[in-house]
Amino acid sequence: MKKIMVFIILLSFIFSLHAQKANTSTVDQDKKMEWWREAKFGMFIHWGPYSILGGVYKGHNQNRGGAEWIMNRCKIPVAEYQQITKGFNPTKYDAEVWVKLAKEAGMKYIVITTKHHDGFAMFKSNASKYNIVDFTVYNKDILDELAKACRKHKMKLGFYYSQAQDWNNPGGSVARKLMREGWPNPDSTRIDAYTEANKGYWDPAQQTATMDEYIDKVSVPQIKELLTNYGDVAVLWWDTPTQMTDAFAEKISAELAKYPQIIQNDRLKRPNFPGDYKTPEGRVPKAEDIEGVDWETCMNIGSSWGFKSWENAWKPTEVLVRNLITIAARGGNYLLNVGPTPEGEIPEPSVTRLKEMGEWMKINGEAIYGTQRSLIFPTWGECIRKDNKNNTILYLCVFEWPSDGKLYFNIDSEVKSATLLQNKKTLNIQKTTDGMIIDVPTKSPDAIVSVIKLELKEKLLPLKIVSNSVKTFEILDL
């Protein structure tokens, strides 16, 4: 009997330790994600030597996809692309201007492509001479300048790194694209047959090393350089894990384990390396697909991630603001992309829209920052939730303004006050058997979206981030 009791006590102790460990893990994860969950809005920057081409090759506009994919889609030989790269000379690049623009737009973090799929490192690298310092006439480390500007202006900085795809450093993987997606090459049939037989590669120079060698000699060493040479790194943003294996991902994860504070997305290697958050791309997902998880939508202001000289599909500011609102209402972050020119300037249409978003955020930012999903879906717009110490605030973002001055809303809680953020005007509330009617002006005070701050007398039950093991979103090549 005593042995049984001792066994029970020992078992209880073990379970207790496991429970404590689980609780500690949850608390640590919440602490790690705290700044990111509060930030809500960030700037994505796709920049590299592909900007020189601007989506045009052999006099033809690239047929499909973002301009950063031009080397692959147009099947530009390695030697030719490298010759183009040597002329990369962004003399108008000013990190301070970029960071100030992001801050003015209301953004709280920046993620920049340190190496995209073309294999060109936008930083000084000892692992590959194919980098901006050793390979170009520019001969300066743009990441170093950006890191210093971010520290100066208290902007979080994250690094995008293509861990698997690399079309210039031998051994990197290649996602196969058909020749018709690039330009009308008369030799398309032969090239498509070659890429089909060679795992997507179109140039023998790409196959002079194995992917094992690439991971060991380029990918892992460059990740080490990024982690050690630029101060605090906030985010590592992986992409397109083509031909990645769990063994390759383990080598990268071993380095990341030394920096537990760094937040990672879910694209290192699926499904066994889920990262810290989900990454729906180019769209706002359905609410049911991202309920209870951390997530971030990355999206272009135009139609391409990298600079496209013939861009003509710029999203209106109203669409961008409403995307931000809907994403916040569903508990996510908005990572909005700009594609700088080869000279190093952010295109004026992007600048204009970011400044206009910043003006809206100056008045309505409290409805975005530090908020969470509300699980309330009004027909006229979005409802965003923020919890204070003793009560909850709901921000009613009205897309379809009622012309009769009556906004209908239903919630089973007592309301302390209703205020328009635009002019701080207090609004009258009428209680009905079907909910409440908020008396509003007959015309929306804000041309984009007006927000009503609804302060409740109580604090609603907490909503939790439960896991990161829900739907995996497709990685698009847009």
Side-chain angles (χ1 to χ4, degrees):
M1 187 67 178
K2 287 183 179 179
K3 289 183 179 180
I4 293 174
M5 288 299 295
V6 169
F7 177 74
I8 291 172
I9 292 170
L10 183 61
L11 202 61
S12 298
F13 179 70
I14 292 171
F15 282 144
S16 174
L17 284 179
H18 279 298
Q20 289 176 26
K21 185 176 180 181
N23 289 337
T24 301
S25 176
T26 301
V27 169
D28 288 347
Q29 183 67 8
D30 286 342
K31 189 68 178 174
K32 172 182 176 179
M33 299 298 292
E34 185 177 7
W35 76 262
W36 187 90
R37 290 172 182 168
E38 290 181 355
K40 294 300 175 189
F41 193 23
M43 175 182 280
F44 213 1
I45 302 172
H46 275 69
W47 196 34
Y50 43 80
S51 62
I52 297 172
L53 295 169
V56 180
Y57 184 65
K58 301 283 188 184
H60 296 276
N61 290 348
Q62 181 181 323
N63 279 337
R64 186 182 184 278
E68 72 287 349
W69 274 79
I70 194 166
M71 183 186 179
N72 185 322
R73 285 196 158 96
C74 291
K75 302 298 179 284
I76 304 175
V78 169
E80 181 183 342
Y81 191 84
Q82 290 188 358
Q83 192 60 37
I84 293 168
T85 299
K86 287 180 179 179
F88 189 48
N89 189 24
T91 55
K92 294 182 180 179
Y93 167 63
D94 188 332
E96 285 259 332
V97 170
W98 288 14
V99 175
K100 286 179 179 178
L101 176 64
K103 199 162 187 175
E104 188 178 349
M107 293 161 159
K108 299 295 186 180
Y109 61 108
I110 290 173
V111 178
I112 186 170
T113 52
T114 62
K115 178 177 78 71
H116 206 267
H117 309 324
D118 66 348
F120 181 75
M122 298 289 282
F123 59 98
K124 166 66 177 174
S125 175
N126 294 323
S128 170
K129 292 295 183 183
Y130 193 53
N131 69 75
I132 195 167
V133 176
D134 297 320
F135 206 83
T136 75
V137 295
Y138 186 65
N139 194 36
K140 285 186 279 188
D141 188 330
I142 68 104
L143 281 196
D144 184 56
E145 296 176 48
L146 184 60
K148 288 174 181 175
C150 284
R151 281 194 294 273
K152 178 179 176 180
H153 295 284
K154 295 180 173 56
M155 178 74 67
K156 296 279 189 180
L157 178 61
F159 294 150
Y160 169 115
Y161 184 83
S162 178
Q163 76 278 14
Q165 281 210 77
D166 192 316
W167 310 324
N168 269 282
N169 291 294
S173 68
V174 173
R176 180 176 180 253
K177 303 296 176 184
L178 295 177
M179 191 67 248
R180 67 170 181 265
E181 297 184 10
W183 67 288
N185 189 333
D187 205 16
S188 294
T189 301
R190 183 194 64 79
I191 292 172
D192 284 346
Y194 185 91
T195 59
E196 185 176 21
N198 288 274
K199 296 183 179 178
Y201 299 106
W202 63 90
D203 187 329
Q206 297 166 320
Q207 295 179 275
T208 57
T210 66
M211 191 164 179
D212 288 83
E213 291 172 318
Y214 166 77
I215 293 293
D216 290 342
K217 294 180 180 180
V218 179
S219 187
V220 171
Q222 285 191 335
I223 290 165
K224 287 182 180 179
E225 290 172 337
L226 291 172
L227 292 172
T228 56
N229 294 346
Y230 301 97
D232 292 338
V233 179
V235 175
L236 268 172
W237 215 101
W238 313 114
D239 201 15
T240 61
T242 308
Q243 297 180 34
M244 277 291 284
T245 66
D246 284 1
F248 293 156
E250 286 287 1
K251 290 181 179 182
I252 293 172
S253 292
E255 291 304 316
L256 264 294
K258 302 171 187 175
Y259 304 87
Q261 80 282 3
I262 295 177
I263 295 169
Q264 302 179 65
N265 73 354
D266 62 338
R267 299 187 180 190
L268 178 59
K269 166 64 172 71
R270 292 170 167 175
N272 295 335
F273 297 81
D276 297 301
Y277 64 94
K278 296 295 180 185
T279 53
E281 182 171 318
R283 63 189 177 87
V284 180
K286 296 177 182 177
E288 60 267 25
D289 288 340
I290 38 75
E291 189 172 321
V293 300
D294 289 304
W295 64 280
E296 173 191 77
T297 279
C298 58
M299 189 180 289
N300 286 308
I301 295 178
S303 64
S304 174
W305 300 105
F307 172 72
K308 188 165 73 173
S309 59
W310 44 283
E311 180 67 75
N312 60 5
W314 301 103
K315 296 177 183 67
T317 303
E318 180 184 64
V319 170
L320 299 174
V321 170
R322 292 187 176 196
N323 283 341
L324 174 61
I325 289 168
T326 301
I327 288 166
R330 296 178 186 180
N333 283 20
Y334 196 24
L335 189 63
L336 190 56
N337 181 70
V338 297
T341 67
E343 294 78 27
E345 295 180 301
I346 295 175
E348 191 55 39
S350 291
V351 172
T352 299
R353 284 156 177 78
L354 290 175
K355 287 183 176 179
E356 288 172 350
M357 292 185 80
E359 289 302 312
W360 187 88
M361 289 290 281
K362 285 176 185 176
I363 296 169
N364 302 289
E366 68 172 271
I368 304 296
Y369 304 127
T371 60
Q372 59 179 303
R373 55 176 57 81
S374 69
L375 300 182
I376 300 171
F377 305 102
T379 58
W380 37 253
E382 298 288 356
C383 177
I384 306 174
R385 170 178 170 174
K386 180 183 286 184
D387 287 345
N388 291 325
K389 185 176 181 181
N390 298 315
N391 71 331
T392 293
I393 294 172
L394 298 177
Y395 293 96
L396 312 184
C397 305
V398 188
F399 295 178
E400 298 176 18
W401 194 262
S403 57
D404 64 356
K406 305 292 182 184
L407 186 73
Y408 293 84
F409 186 64
N410 188 15
I411 185 171
D412 189 22
S413 294
E414 283 196 62
V415 176
K416 183 178 179 181
S417 64
T419 311
L420 267 173
L421 290 189
Q422 176 71 25
N423 52 23
K424 309 303 180 186
K425 181 181 178 181
T426 301
L427 303 175
N428 182 56
I429 296 175
Q430 305 173 40
K431 292 184 179 179
T432 72
T433 54
D434 296 323
M436 68 179 74
I437 300 174
I438 305 173
D439 294 327
V440 298
T442 54
K443 184 179 180 182
S444 176
D446 192 291
I448 296 176
V449 177
S450 290
V451 181
I452 297 168
K453 179 179 181 179
L454 201 68
E455 190 168 359
L456 307 184
K457 290 184 178 180
E458 63 177 329
K459 189 172 183 177
L460 300 178
L461 291 174
L463 300 173
K464 293 290 185 181
I465 302 295
V466 292
S467 73
N468 197 17
S469 58
V470 296
K471 179 176 179 177
T472 296
F473 292 93
E474 179 186 7
I475 299 173
L476 305 176
D477 299 332
L478 298 175

